[in-house]
Amino acid sequence: MAEAEESGADVALIASALSVALSWYQFYVRGNKTQGIFIGLWPPTFLAFASYMRQKGMADRLENSVVVNPESQGLLSRVLE
């Protein structure tokens, strides 16, 4: 499971890097400034989506640990304080 999460982040980083490279190519090499700027807006979206998915996964694991192990509620209350 942890490997899948890390590879998901890796995919987002690779997609972001490729998007930046494509943006520079469109902007500087082809001279299509509008297309370059448009493509340049993609990396933050990719990274934000990856961050959201990682945070959601962490919240789900925390919630499942409380349901499975009732003794961990003390830990949960300390974390949320």
Side-chain angles (χ1 to χ4, degrees), residues 2-35:
E3 290 178 20
E5 288 178 4
E6 290 178 18
S7 67
D10 292 341
V11 170
L13 289 174
I14 292 168
S16 295
L18 290 175
S19 177
V20 168
L22 181 61
S23 173
W24 288 349
Y25 173 76
Q26 288 288 331
F27 193 88
Y28 292 112
V29 176
R30 297 206 49 197
N32 191 350
K33 296 187 185 307
T34 304
Q35 188 74 17

Side-chain angles (χ1 to χ4, degrees), residues 3 15 17 19 36 38 42 47 49 57 64-65 68 74 76 79-80:
E3 290 178 20
S19 177
F38 174 71
W42 296 352
L47 296 174
F49 184 71
N64 289 339
S65 70
V68 171
L76 179 61
V79 169
L80 295 176

Side-chain angles (χ1 to χ4, degrees), residues 44-62:
T45 305
F46 294 152
L47 296 174
F49 184 71
S51 175
Y52 169 77
M53 295 306 289
R54 178 172 283 180
Q55 289 177 2
K56 182 158 177 39
M58 291 170 60
D60 290 345
R61 280 186 292 189
L62 182 61

